[in-house]
Amino acid sequence: MTDQATTGTPMVRALYRAVAVPGHESAGLYTKLYYPALYGGTPLENNTGSLPAASRDQPYPVAILMPGINVGPESYGWLATALTEAGFVTLLYGWIIEEMPGLEALSCGLDVSALAPADYGTRPSATALPALLQFLAQQNQSGPLAGLLDLQRILLGGHSAGGSTALLNANATWFPGLCAAFAYGAHSKASTMLGYPADTFLDLPAGLPLLLMGGSEDGVIAASSFRYGGDGDGEPDPIGPLARTFSEALASTRDDSYLAIVRGANHFSLSYPADPATGRPFLDWPVTRPEPEIRADLAELVVQFARAHVLGDAAARQRLRAVLADPTRVQQAAIR
């Protein structure tokens, strides 16, 4: 037995569940729901591996992590574990869907038409999020986590395309219960294929605390500048779209939004273990610091942000600012 099993220390466990999405009955959306659990040694636990939640004194806040295109949700399991150890129930998911004609992929769920100039800001573009929120409400009614989910304290986050989807849909008017958002390797620069002029940034919802993270060695963002115009004549820029999103597209001035360009990290530093067979890792640049150090910094940024702005932990807010102020860990930082 593990030390956790013998000492009664909470351990992280997860439930796999399928989710039905109205209008997309043929597309498979599956979830992995991480939660703090306690092993009681019962025959049922030993037989099924299903353990009860660690605490029934108060409900847990929830974190939802939106994946990058063709990045398996288990690649974010290390971060889900860190958030769950910090007191959250954490939802990962994968959705195999054809969102654009002829392009079937593992997706975060994005309605590209909602980003068009005539429609942006009038309706959500996160197509999986309504079904995921309904799924969480159902889990809060019955099953192992019944009554244990605080759906008024939801952290929305994502990576790459999932990060952009989180940024553009971090709107508590559209999705009540959202109270903070984060993204890694994502920005709000608009594709010229949608009809936007070159070098256009979509305004972000400004009602929630935000953590916008990126890597100083993000080769995927550097290689994708052709989509947006305005960058083609200069050197490849791995961080400019993120820095400009934070300074130009975000109107918040509440001192609760943060930019963190993590030193030495690349586009896929948030996903581990690496899977070179999917996504676009062939475009990425090499990391320049040990990967375990980078992941530790990313986990601390996300966890301290979550504790500060979802749980209201003032000490976590100070710890977050300390990481942002450390030039050995964060190459570029800003607060607004």
Side-chain angles (χ1 to χ4, degrees), residues 155-290:
L155 171 68
L156 181 65
H159 170 222
S160 193
S164 293
T165 304
L167 290 176
L168 301 177
N169 291 273
N171 187 331
T173 300
W174 289 344
F175 302 110
L178 297 188
C179 59
F182 75 90
Y184 181 83
H187 55 80
S188 72
K189 202 165 191 181
S191 172
T192 55
M193 293 181 64
L194 294 174
Y196 288 96
D199 208 32
T200 297
F201 285 82
L202 301 178
D203 290 337
L204 297 180
L208 302 180
L210 174 68
L211 173 62
L212 179 56
M213 301 178 295
S216 65
E217 314 305 314
D218 192 323
V220 174
I221 284 180
S224 301
S225 61
F226 69 93
R227 295 177 175 177
Y228 313 105
D231 294 343
D233 297 330
E235 292 293 322
D237 187 354
I239 63 177
L242 281 76
R244 290 185 61 193
T245 293
F246 191 79
S247 63
E248 300 176 26
L250 181 65
S252 173
T253 56
R254 297 183 305 269
D255 206 34
D256 64 0
S257 293
Y258 311 86
L259 172 70
I261 303 300
V262 177
R263 185 174 297 280
N266 66 16
H267 190 76
F268 286 96
S269 289
L270 199 74
S271 59
Y272 175 81
D275 182 358
T278 62
R280 297 193 294 161
F282 50 84
L283 295 175
D284 220 350
W285 295 352
V287 298
T288 60
R289 286 201 294 143

Side-chain angles (χ1 to χ4, degrees), residues 305-327:
F305 172 76
R307 292 193 61 84
H309 294 291
V310 179
L311 303 184
D313 183 341
R317 189 165 181 160
Q318 294 306 311
R319 290 191 293 269
L320 172 61
R321 289 169 180 253
V323 178
L324 293 171
D326 185 347

Side-chain angles (χ1 to χ4, degrees), residues 9-294:
T9 303
M11 65 177 73
V12 175
R13 299 290 292 174
L15 307 169
Y16 284 102
R17 297 289 187 270
V19 176
V21 183
H24 296 278
E25 285 73 14
S26 63
L29 194 160
Y30 70 97
T31 65
K32 191 174 184 181
L33 195 59
Y34 291 71
Y35 67 100
L38 277 180
Y39 174 65
T42 67
L44 180 63
E45 292 169 1
N46 292 341
N47 188 44
T48 66
S50 179
L51 306 186
S55 174
R56 296 191 173 271
D57 296 333
Q58 58 184 1
Y60 294 102
V62 176
I64 301 172
L65 305 187
M66 296 183 150
I69 299 296
N70 284 328
V71 181
E74 275 78 8
S75 295
Y76 309 107
W78 68 274
L79 183 57
T81 297
L83 280 164
T84 304
E85 290 175 341
F88 287 74
V89 166
T90 308
L91 176 65
L92 303 183
Y93 69 96
W95 195 15
I96 300 173
I97 188 171
E98 185 178 296
E99 291 177 324
M100 291 181 283
L103 185 59
E104 186 175 34
L106 183 64
S107 173
C108 59
L110 177 63
D111 179 2
V112 177
S113 70
L115 305 181
D119 294 298
Y120 180 68
T122 66
R123 57 189 173 93
S125 55
T127 51
L129 192 51
L132 293 172
L133 293 172
Q134 179 61 32
F135 162 75
L136 288 168
Q138 293 167 352
Q139 296 302 302
N140 210 23
Q141 292 298 314
S142 62
L145 298 178
L148 295 180
L149 305 181
D150 185 347
L151 299 182
Q152 298 306 308
R153 293 191 297 171
I154 298 175
L155 171 68
L156 181 65
H159 170 222
S160 193
S164 293
T165 304
L167 290 176
L168 301 177
N169 291 273
N171 187 331
T173 300
W174 289 344
F175 302 110
L178 297 188
C179 59
F182 75 90
Y184 181 83
H187 55 80
S188 72
K189 202 165 191 181
S191 172
T192 55
M193 293 181 64
L194 294 174
Y196 288 96
D199 208 32
T200 297
F201 285 82
L202 301 178
D203 290 337
L204 297 180
L208 302 180
L210 174 68
L211 173 62
L212 179 56
M213 301 178 295
S216 65
E217 314 305 314
D218 192 323
V220 174
I221 284 180
S224 301
S225 61
F226 69 93
R227 295 177 175 177
Y228 313 105
D231 294 343
D233 297 330
E235 292 293 322
D237 187 354
I239 63 177
L242 281 76
R244 290 185 61 193
T245 293
F246 191 79
S247 63
E248 300 176 26
L250 181 65
S252 173
T253 56
R254 297 183 305 269
D255 206 34
D256 64 0
S257 293
Y258 311 86
L259 172 70
I261 303 300
V262 177
R263 185 174 297 280
N266 66 16
H267 190 76
F268 286 96
S269 289
L270 199 74
S271 59
Y272 175 81
D275 182 358
T278 62
R280 297 193 294 161
F282 50 84
L283 295 175
D284 220 350
W285 295 352
V287 298
T288 60
R289 286 201 294 143
E291 292 182 346
E293 289 183 9
I294 291 171

